Amino acid sequence: MTQQSLDNNKAIVVFSGGQDSTTCLFWAKKHFENVELVTFAYGQRHDTEIEVAKRIAQEQHVKHHILDMSLLSQLTPNALTQHDMDIEVGDDGIPNTFVPARNLLFLSFAGALAYQTNTKNIITGVCETDFSGYPDCRDSFIKSMNVTLSLSMDKDFVIHTPLMWLDKKATWALSDELGALDYIRYNTLTCYNGIVGEGCGECPACELRANGLNTYLAEKGVN
Ligand code: ZN
């Protein structure tokens, strides 16, 4: 029996409906003919997150897989799934918003889905620049995971991380290059208070996002 090789025109984006993964969606649409999204439901603080992801998938005409990952919240009651909003960084340098094994699980299931759909490319918006405290957002982890996924299914997957070395300003610049700055600005959800678009303006996620956007727009000469 000859093994079917994976389709290099196909890509799956790990998708949350936030700024980063939506930028990855537009990046993927530019580079691959057939793009699908996978969103993991794990008891996020706001159900809005799943609704926003669904809406973006519909508006951008891409197939959307939503997979139940509720076991994650059983294991990790913390700031991203509960209502305590303060982000603290522990002695080990890891913020309390860290959900252990989250990207390990997400990429494993994205890999299983890629296998089932004969998809070669897996795209994730992880980034070392702004959240270097998360060990499973680092480039070394992703490279290791790429090897593990390929070995585990005997397929040559490629994990792409277009945002790995970009700060928030550069991520906005990329979305502008992709012709999607306004769409991402007004339709994605990053805010810890669950407010779509420009958000509450006060939580750490809004602050980071707004600083990046304002710096980018200022340098571009738009007010
Ligand atoms: Zn906010």
Side-chain angles (χ1 to χ4, degrees), residues 102-118:
R102 178 168 50 184
N103 277 334
L104 180 70
L105 288 168
F106 284 8
L107 288 168
S108 297
F109 282 80
L113 183 61
Y115 181 96
Q116 300 292 359
T117 54
N118 203 38

Side-chain angles (χ1 to χ4, degrees), residues 191-193 199-203 205-206:
C191 174
Y192 289 163
N193 287 312
C200 73
E202 282 167 11
C203 74
C206 279

Side-chain angles (χ1 to χ4, degrees), residues 68-102:
D68 177 29
M69 198 68 79
S70 49
L71 61 95
L72 255 188
S73 61
Q74 263 176 285
L75 291 167
T76 59
N78 81 5
L80 282 189
T81 52
Q82 305 224 319
H83 295 271
D84 165 21
M85 227 187 63
D86 296 331
I87 296 183
E88 286 161 23
V89 177
D91 295 339
D92 52 4
I94 296 180
N96 67 347
T97 48
F98 178 57
V99 179
R102 178 168 50 184

Side-chain angles (χ1 to χ4, degrees), residues 114-155:
Y115 181 96
Q116 300 292 359
T117 54
N118 203 38
T119 300
K120 186 180 180 79
N121 303 286
I122 299 166
I123 296 152
T124 166
V126 295
C127 163
E128 279 207 14
T129 317
D130 287 324
F131 289 108
S132 49
Y134 291 179
D136 59 355
C137 289
R138 293 177 193 149
D139 194 49
S140 52
F141 166 72
I142 298 295
K143 287 194 162 72
S144 157
M145 192 65 201
N146 200 150
V147 172
T148 298
L149 276 184
S150 295
L151 287 175
S152 71
M153 293 176 248
D154 198 14
K155 294 281 185 186

